Amino acid sequence: MSALVTDAKRAQLLANNREADPVPVVRLFTPDAHATWLLASLDPADDDTAHGLIDLGIGMPELGMVKLSDLASIVGPQGQPVMRDCYLQPTRRLSEYLRLAEENGSMTD
């Protein structure tokens, strides 16, 4: 699971748990299945449940929760695992990413 979320990003996700509208910390994606998770916080109770914007590539992005352990076990149709976007530089709060994704039917950046 450390390949999905580094220790430094995990600390940021945990710190964001206190924020009402945090800036996202981690973007995970399936390179062969068009699914994206823009994660903003992590539940300190289990250190596995993340909250953020979920876009499964079906035109219905929404805020939700996902287990990092579940994401670590996903393999796409061409055998590609979920990967972390190492170049993410968030410029907006989570609510703004949600608004834009709802307008466009998917996450655009």
Side-chain angles (χ1 to χ4, degrees):
M1 190 170 5
S2 62
L4 292 181
V5 179
T6 65
D7 289 341
K9 296 295 184 185
R10 183 177 298 279
Q12 286 180 294
L13 288 166
L14 287 167
N16 273 357
N17 195 45
R18 296 178 218 119
E19 295 284 328
D21 189 15
V23 173
V25 176
V26 175
R27 180 175 26 217
L28 304 175
F29 65 97
T30 54
D32 59 352
H34 307 292
T36 306
W37 298 266
L38 187 61
L39 305 179
S41 63
L42 189 61
D43 186 347
D46 70 2
D47 200 37
D48 188 37
T49 304
H51 177 263
L53 179 55
I54 300 169
D55 182 355
L56 299 179
I58 57 173
M60 298 171 28
E62 63 182 7
L63 292 180
M65 300 175 103
V66 64
K67 297 263 188 203
L68 294 175
S69 57
D70 289 344
L71 293 179
S73 68
I74 292 175
V75 177
Q78 296 175 352
Q80 297 289 317
V82 171
M83 300 177 74
R84 178 174 37 94
D85 177 354
C86 296
Y87 303 102
L88 174 67
Q89 300 214 359
T91 58
R92 308 172 176 89
R93 299 244 172 228
L94 188 60
S95 62
E96 184 65 8
Y97 281 104
L98 173 62
R99 184 186 68 76
L100 292 169
E102 287 175 337
E103 284 178 5
N104 293 299
S106 67
M107 278 189 250
T108 57
D109 67 335

